[in-house]
Amino acid sequence: MTTMASLRLIILIIAFVLFDSSIAFPPHRSFARRGIDNHLRPRVGSRQLIAEVGGPVDEDIWSVSPPVRIEGKSLKTWAFPSGASKRVQVSIKSLGRPTEASVELWQTPSYTPTKFTVECEDGSENVFHSTIELPEGHPVTVAVYNTECQQFPMEVSVADVGHLESASSTFQGHRPQYIEGGKAVKSYTFGYGVESVEVFLTTKMRNMKAYIEILQGPNDDNEIIEVETDNASIHPFYTVIQTPEGANTLRIVNDNSLEFPLEAYVRSFETVSDEAKQDFNYGGPYF
């Protein structure tokens, strides 16, 4: 009886070794967005934006609207006539230098319904993308001001993306996180497999003041965004934040008073496949 059991165990071990050696796992990294495989989209240089057709951002923004160089302490404006577009996309990058910009939507000479500032340590790695909803029946101007010193220019593209669906429609069916006013904080932690994340902030017919930052360590802010809008249901804020490699934390702070909560939608935008995730295990609840 003992001999028969030993023989069966040896047969099982041999079969397991033969089966395991026949499996070959490819070493490459494939990318997917929202569960959609993009094996034919290789990464070249810094992170690239990967978006499916009909998404809230245009992945070909740099070719559709060639970037304009804005020197430090300089202003550039883009005018859009009444009814010309529903929304525009603003993208900012640099050649490996820090970027610091202020973006405003001018509806009249004295009315700015929405504005935000963005600061990045490396404008080639932390490329900034955002969409701005435009009011109907009013001519508007998008103003981008390079608040860095003269030695740090940046490249900006502003394009009409009214043919794409709005950010609010892409988040239909998702449950938001409510962040109360009075400096309330909501944090999101994600691991090595997430290359970029989507952030969508809105309110119910109220103004909004928010502070967004991406952290890779204590007091290590790779990107900081400050948003202010008079009515976030008409002018919500949407952005795609590039995340440097490693474990990262996204923090959203409601800078408004206690009476003005906001709704935050956060989800992964560009991720690596499970094959690459197996090599990294930071032991946390990641996206």
mmCIF file of all heavy atoms in Angstrom, residues 105-114 230-231 235:
data_model
loop_
_atom_site.group_PDB
_atom_site.id
_atom_site.type_symbol
_atom_site.label_atom_id
_atom_site.label_comp_id
_atom_site.label_asym_id
_atom_site.label_seq_id
_atom_site.Cartn_x
_atom_site.Cartn_y
_atom_site.Cartn_z
ATOM 1 N N LEU A 105 -11.045 80.842 -17.569
ATOM 2 C CA LEU A 105 -12.078 80.959 -18.593
ATOM 3 C C LEU A 105 -12.720 82.336 -18.437
ATOM 4 O O LEU A 105 -13.338 82.624 -17.410
ATOM 5 C CB LEU A 105 -13.125 79.859 -18.441
ATOM 6 C CG LEU A 105 -14.304 79.904 -19.422
ATOM 7 C CD1 LEU A 105 -13.822 79.652 -20.843
ATOM 8 C CD2 LEU A 105 -15.382 78.898 -19.032
ATOM 9 N N TRP A 106 -12.555 83.187 -19.454
ATOM 10 C CA TRP A 106 -13.121 84.531 -19.430
ATOM 11 C C TRP A 106 -14.421 84.537 -20.216
ATOM 12 O O TRP A 106 -14.437 84.264 -21.413
ATOM 13 C CB TRP A 106 -12.155 85.545 -20.037
ATOM 14 C CG TRP A 106 -10.855 85.675 -19.292
ATOM 15 C CD1 TRP A 106 -10.573 85.226 -18.031
ATOM 16 C CD2 TRP A 106 -9.649 86.287 -19.772
ATOM 17 N NE1 TRP A 106 -9.280 85.523 -17.677
ATOM 18 C CE2 TRP A 106 -8.682 86.187 -18.732
ATOM 19 C CE3 TRP A 106 -9.290 86.924 -20.964
ATOM 20 C CZ2 TRP A 106 -7.386 86.679 -18.865
ATOM 21 C CZ3 TRP A 106 -8.010 87.422 -21.097
ATOM 22 C CH2 TRP A 106 -7.073 87.305 -20.051
ATOM 23 N N GLN A 107 -15.521 84.894 -19.557
ATOM 24 C CA GLN A 107 -16.816 84.981 -20.242
ATOM 25 C C GLN A 107 -17.138 86.429 -20.618
ATOM 26 O O GLN A 107 -17.750 86.690 -21.648
ATOM 27 C CB GLN A 107 -17.929 84.413 -19.352
ATOM 28 C CG GLN A 107 -19.254 84.247 -20.073
ATOM 29 C CD GLN A 107 -20.234 83.408 -19.291
ATOM 30 O OE1 GLN A 107 -19.861 82.513 -18.539
ATOM 31 N NE2 GLN A 107 -21.515 83.684 -19.454
ATOM 32 N N THR A 108 -16.741 87.356 -19.792
ATOM 33 C CA THR A 108 -16.809 88.789 -20.083
ATOM 34 C C THR A 108 -15.527 89.403 -19.532
ATOM 35 O O THR A 108 -14.762 88.724 -18.829
ATOM 36 C CB THR A 108 -18.038 89.449 -19.425
ATOM 37 O OG1 THR A 108 -17.901 89.381 -17.997
ATOM 38 C CG2 THR A 108 -19.333 88.765 -19.844
ATOM 39 N N PRO A 109 -15.271 90.670 -19.804
ATOM 40 C CA PRO A 109 -14.047 91.272 -19.271
ATOM 41 C C PRO A 109 -13.923 91.227 -17.750
ATOM 42 O O PRO A 109 -12.810 91.306 -17.220
ATOM 43 C CB PRO A 109 -14.122 92.716 -19.775
ATOM 44 C CG PRO A 109 -14.943 92.638 -21.018
ATOM 45 C CD PRO A 109 -15.958 91.574 -20.756
ATOM 46 N N SER A 110 -15.064 91.090 -17.056
ATOM 47 C CA SER A 110 -15.019 91.111 -15.589
ATOM 48 C C SER A 110 -15.551 89.843 -14.942
ATOM 49 O O SER A 110 -15.711 89.782 -13.720
ATOM 50 C CB SER A 110 -15.814 92.316 -15.059
ATOM 51 O OG SER A 110 -17.169 92.233 -15.480
ATOM 52 N N TYR A 111 -15.836 88.797 -15.729
ATOM 53 C CA TYR A 111 -16.430 87.575 -15.175
ATOM 54 C C TYR A 111 -15.576 86.377 -15.561
ATOM 55 O O TYR A 111 -15.387 86.090 -16.748
ATOM 56 C CB TYR A 111 -17.861 87.401 -15.696
ATOM 57 C CG TYR A 111 -18.556 86.161 -15.176
ATOM 58 C CD1 TYR A 111 -18.442 85.763 -13.846
ATOM 59 C CD2 TYR A 111 -19.337 85.383 -16.021
ATOM 60 C CE1 TYR A 111 -19.079 84.631 -13.376
ATOM 61 C CE2 TYR A 111 -19.984 84.253 -15.571
ATOM 62 C CZ TYR A 111 -19.861 83.883 -14.244
ATOM 63 O OH TYR A 111 -20.495 82.758 -13.791
ATOM 64 N N THR A 112 -15.087 85.679 -14.545
ATOM 65 C CA THR A 112 -14.283 84.465 -14.733
ATOM 66 C C THR A 112 -14.999 83.316 -14.027
ATOM 67 O O THR A 112 -14.841 83.125 -12.816
ATOM 68 C CB THR A 112 -12.871 84.637 -14.161
ATOM 69 O OG1 THR A 112 -12.257 85.786 -14.753
ATOM 70 C CG2 THR A 112 -12.018 83.413 -14.452
ATOM 71 N N PRO A 113 -15.825 82.529 -14.736
ATOM 72 C CA PRO A 113 -16.605 81.479 -14.069
ATOM 73 C C PRO A 113 -15.779 80.331 -13.523
ATOM 74 O O PRO A 113 -16.195 79.665 -12.572
ATOM 75 C CB PRO A 113 -17.563 80.999 -15.164
ATOM 76 C CG PRO A 113 -16.893 81.362 -16.446
ATOM 77 C CD PRO A 113 -16.131 82.615 -16.176
ATOM 78 N N THR A 114 -14.633 80.060 -14.106
ATOM 79 C CA THR A 114 -13.797 78.973 -13.605
ATOM 80 C C THR A 114 -12.330 79.283 -13.846
ATOM 81 O O THR A 114 -11.977 79.919 -14.849
ATOM 82 C CB THR A 114 -14.173 77.626 -14.275
ATOM 83 O OG1 THR A 114 -13.383 76.575 -13.711
ATOM 84 C CG2 THR A 114 -13.936 77.672 -15.765
ATOM 85 N N ASP A 230 -17.465 79.049 -9.983
ATOM 86 C CA ASP A 230 -18.637 79.623 -9.327
ATOM 87 C C ASP A 230 -19.827 78.684 -9.315
ATOM 88 O O ASP A 230 -20.707 78.808 -8.469
ATOM 89 C CB ASP A 230 -19.009 80.961 -9.978
ATOM 90 C CG ASP A 230 -19.478 80.782 -11.416
ATOM 91 O OD1 ASP A 230 -19.225 79.714 -11.996
ATOM 92 O OD2 ASP A 230 -20.097 81.725 -11.968
ATOM 93 N N ASN A 231 -19.890 77.734 -10.253
ATOM 94 C CA ASN A 231 -20.971 76.760 -10.293
ATOM 95 C C ASN A 231 -20.426 75.484 -10.928
ATOM 96 O O ASN A 231 -20.318 75.392 -12.152
ATOM 97 C CB ASN A 231 -22.168 77.289 -11.080
ATOM 98 C CG ASN A 231 -23.391 76.393 -10.961
ATOM 99 O OD1 ASN A 231 -23.303 75.212 -10.645
ATOM 100 N ND2 ASN A 231 -24.566 76.964 -11.208
ATOM 101 N N HIS A 235 -19.821 74.205 -14.685
ATOM 102 C CA HIS A 235 -18.394 74.177 -15.013
ATOM 103 C C HIS A 235 -17.674 73.182 -14.088
ATOM 104 O O HIS A 235 -16.923 73.582 -13.198
ATOM 105 C CB HIS A 235 -17.778 75.562 -14.868
ATOM 106 C CG HIS A 235 -18.384 76.598 -15.750
ATOM 107 N ND1 HIS A 235 -18.153 76.662 -17.105
ATOM 108 C CD2 HIS A 235 -19.233 77.609 -15.481
ATOM 109 C CE1 HIS A 235 -18.824 77.670 -17.627
ATOM 110 N NE2 HIS A 235 -19.487 78.264 -16.665
#
